[in-house]
Amino acid sequence: MTATEFLIGKERRVRRLGFGAMHLSTEPGPARDSSLAVARRAVELGVTLVDTAHLYGGGANEQLLAEALHPYPDELLVTTKVGVARTGPDGEWRLDGRPAVLRDQVEQALRRLRVERIELLQLHRIDPETPLADQLGTLRELRDEGKVGRIGLSEVTADELDRARRIVDVASVQNRYNLLDREHEPVLAACEAAGIAFLPWRPVAWGESGQRSEVAAVAAEAGATPSQIALAWLLGHSPVVLPIPGTARIAHLEENLAAEGVELSPAQRERLDGLCESPGDGTAP
């Protein structure tokens, strides 16, 4: 039986199947009301890991989650990401890991999420123009000040993860990864060896017609949907994988969370293992 929980940072227990809030609309009106309902339904259904970021609406997504869920249940961990800012020449989004920017985004997140400490803060991307030691050193200082509980990374290579771990304790990695896209398999292997949580973004994706047909065939055999098969495969692939599928619809949310009850046979898993488009060399886009 696949384990349904994981200890992030070896101490914070969460349900492995979480929720990504990126797709929730923050514009006033019916769409926002629906977003609030989806977030609340996720927690009602037992989700204890919700993912957001400063990039998602410049903090509007964080604000939406606070409106929907605050005061938060003790078991709920809302993780956010910093390090992408509107500091380009014409005000466009760009990677920005300068210490002052990271500090400001963390302070904004604390206010928007209505918390005194962000239990898991992830660096959205490594800024190539700022020394890694400065970026992670700032996050470490924020942790030491009690404003951050644990530190994670996003979209890193195995080498970058190794270098980061020499600077700070890394509790999580959030990379693109799914049944058909396993470019970051070396990163997942490194996370598994170290007991680091691996949060795959875009956990459900579809390839060529033959691959889609094979997934659909396994879904029919298992009495599940193709999306549930993709999520069930992830949960069984490694004990450190914590998928965070996102949706703006309650029906889709419920479908995703039901994937936890889908059991794949060894033969089905072997067929799915063979569908990989990109086995991975550890490089990030």
Side-chain angles (χ1 to χ4, degrees):
M1 191 72 176
T2 302
T4 59
E5 295 182 328
F6 183 82
L7 291 175
I8 295 181
K10 299 181 173 60
E11 58 181 2
R12 181 62 187 255
R13 187 178 303 277
V14 296
R15 180 179 176 181
R16 287 180 61 200
L17 196 48
F19 175 68
M22 183 180 71
H23 297 294
L24 297 180
S25 174
T26 58
E27 296 299 321
R32 183 184 181 88
D33 294 340
S34 178
S35 294
L36 295 170
V38 169
R40 290 167 181 153
R41 182 60 176 154
V43 174
E44 287 174 3
L45 292 172
V47 167
T48 57
L49 175 63
V50 175
D51 174 79
T52 183
H54 179 86
L55 176 63
Y56 307 160
N61 196 269
E62 295 171 334
Q63 203 164 17
L64 176 86
L65 290 176
E67 181 180 342
L69 304 174
H70 192 273
Y72 307 108
D74 291 342
E75 65 274 13
L76 181 63
L77 187 158
V78 177
T79 175
T80 193
K81 299 181 286 294
V82 296
V84 185
R86 283 190 178 276
T87 53
D90 298 313
E92 70 271 19
W93 290 102
R94 72 177 184 93
L95 303 185
D96 197 334
R98 291 175 296 172
V101 171
L102 296 179
R103 278 192 165 272
D104 179 61
Q105 290 189 352
V106 168
E107 293 292 348
Q108 290 182 46
L110 289 168
R111 289 195 298 272
R112 289 184 176 121
L113 290 170
R114 308 179 200 173
V115 295
E116 295 183 356
R117 184 170 92 153
I118 298 167
E119 292 300 330
L120 176 61
L121 178 75
Q122 301 181 106
L123 184 64
H124 209 145
R125 295 289 189 276
I126 292 175
D127 175 7
E129 297 181 4
T130 302
L132 182 63
D134 289 353
Q135 297 175 69
L136 296 182
T138 300
L139 301 189
R140 184 179 58 213
E141 290 171 2
L142 288 162
R143 183 197 63 194
D144 293 345
E145 293 166 14
K147 296 179 179 180
V148 170
R150 299 155 196 84
I151 296 167
L153 304 170
S154 180
E155 210 59 22
V156 294
T157 66
D159 178 64
E160 287 168 338
L161 173 58
D162 181 61
R163 288 192 287 124
R165 294 183 65 209
R166 299 175 193 174
I167 300 170
V168 69
D169 291 334
V170 176
S172 68
V173 169
Q174 185 169 330
N175 277 21
R176 189 191 70 251
Y177 187 88
N178 56 62
L179 173 60
L180 302 180
D181 181 358
R182 303 178 213 169
E183 176 183 348
H184 294 297
E185 194 75 43
V187 183
L188 172 56
C191 287
E192 188 170 330
I196 295 171
F198 185 90
L199 284 62
W201 62 268
R202 196 181 294 162
V204 177
W206 308 120
E208 300 300 326
S209 59
Q211 292 161 325
R212 290 197 300 270
S213 297
E214 187 63 25
V215 175
V218 173
E221 294 168 10
T225 67
S227 293
Q228 289 173 334
I229 293 301
L231 292 170
W233 179 85
L234 280 170
L235 290 169
H237 186 58
S238 168
V240 304
V241 169
L242 281 62
I244 46 171
T247 180
R249 295 187 297 113
I250 287 180
H252 191 203
L253 167 72
E254 294 174 346
E255 174 190 333
N256 287 340
L257 294 178
E260 202 173 66
V262 175
E263 286 292 326
L264 297 172
S265 71
Q268 289 169 334
R269 185 164 290 281
E270 184 176 354
R271 286 157 60 192
L272 295 171
D273 287 346
L275 296 180
C276 179
E277 289 178 338
S278 52
D281 58 8
T283 59

